[in-house]
Amino acid sequence: MAKNDKDLAESMTLNRIKPQTNLLFNVIFWVLAAVCIIPVIFVFMISISSEESIRANGYQFIPESFSSEAYQFLFDEAAMIFRALGISVFVAVVGTVIGLALTSTMGYVLSRNNYKLNGLVTTIVFIPMIFNGGMIASYVVNTQMLNLRNTVWALILPLCMSSFNVVICRTFFKTNIPDSVIESAQIDGASQMTIFTKIALPLSKPMLATIALFLSFGYWNDWFQASLYVTNTKLNSLQALLNQVQRNIDMMANNPSMGLTLQQYKNAMPKEGARMAMAIIIIVPIACTYPFFQRYFISGLTVGAVKG
């Protein structure tokens, strides 16, 4: 007993982090946090800067003069902004649900050793992680064969499956759902669907939260699918709208809603501030959702790790 206590004490001594090392880690974490947060604060400060201050002094962390013109302009364009926000929310929510359903079911099937086509399907899933058919082939399939052009499904279906996410699901199910549990359920007469929905999924919350975050971030930040498949402006997401504004700020001036002439409308537009204000509107919703998934996400980061 004394020997075990001595070994435990020695192990704790060897694994103990020195105060200097702990301080260094804290400093590194604070620096990394600042690197992530300061750009968001900088963008917000630009969004509340006056156009005169930006033209005279450029971007400043503390502007010479403040203005709410950018947010007032977006408020005047509320119909366009809220329509784009609705498209973004719909795409993110529906895409995440579909992606979770497809990814988790495929990952569960591939995690079972008694699946006869396990090796073949695993190889097929792994191949897209190395190379794919290319943009032209994808465009032809999505527009000519699936007829997704100018539909909201063009923003959802091309991104709902990822080989990387399937591999994560497969690894989690294989390492965290013992075969003995599956066999016991089968002896009790449970079908594979019952085992998957009532045993596997409830035990996989960290993995599901991790995949959900990957999918939702991917959908929320995506603008490329809209640039490829959507020409109807009513189907533009917030990200696609911001991309168009950044490429051509006059795009918003071509949709006047304030009763001004086109030239007056262009002159009244807070050009730089409007871009940054839209960026803030895009950042805030997805940033607010992260804390709800944080506990599961941190647990999910260790999916596939070797346990000692």
Side-chain angles (χ1 to χ4, degrees), residues 29-41:
F29 291 149
W30 277 107
V31 170
L32 292 176
V35 169
C36 296
I37 295 174
I38 289 177
V40 178
I41 299 175

Side-chain angles (χ1 to χ4, degrees), residues 158-204:
L159 300 179
C160 66
M161 284 293 290
S162 167
S163 297
F164 178 73
N165 292 342
V166 172
V167 171
I168 289 179
C169 289
R170 175 182 178 273
T171 303
F172 186 91
F173 285 130
K174 198 173 185 66
T175 56
N176 291 272
I177 310 296
D179 291 335
S180 58
V181 174
I182 305 299
E183 292 170 358
S184 299
Q186 289 175 336
I187 292 173
D188 292 336
S191 64
Q192 285 294 341
M193 183 58 69
T194 301
I195 295 172
F196 175 68
T197 55
K198 294 187 177 181
I199 297 178
L201 289 184
L203 296 175
S204 307

Side-chain angles (χ1 to χ4, degrees), residues 3-16:
K3 183 178 181 181
N4 292 336
D5 292 340
K6 183 178 179 181
D7 292 340
L8 179 61
E10 291 179 355
S11 176
M12 293 179 62
T13 302
L14 292 174
N15 293 322
R16 185 179 301 163

Side-chain angles (χ1 to χ4, degrees), residues 217-236:
F217 285 177
Y219 278 115
W220 188 261
N221 294 321
D222 178 66
W223 56 267
F224 188 64
Q225 305 301 316
S227 67
L228 283 179
Y229 304 117
V230 174
T231 56
N232 184 357
T233 56
K234 292 183 179 180
L235 294 178
N236 278 337

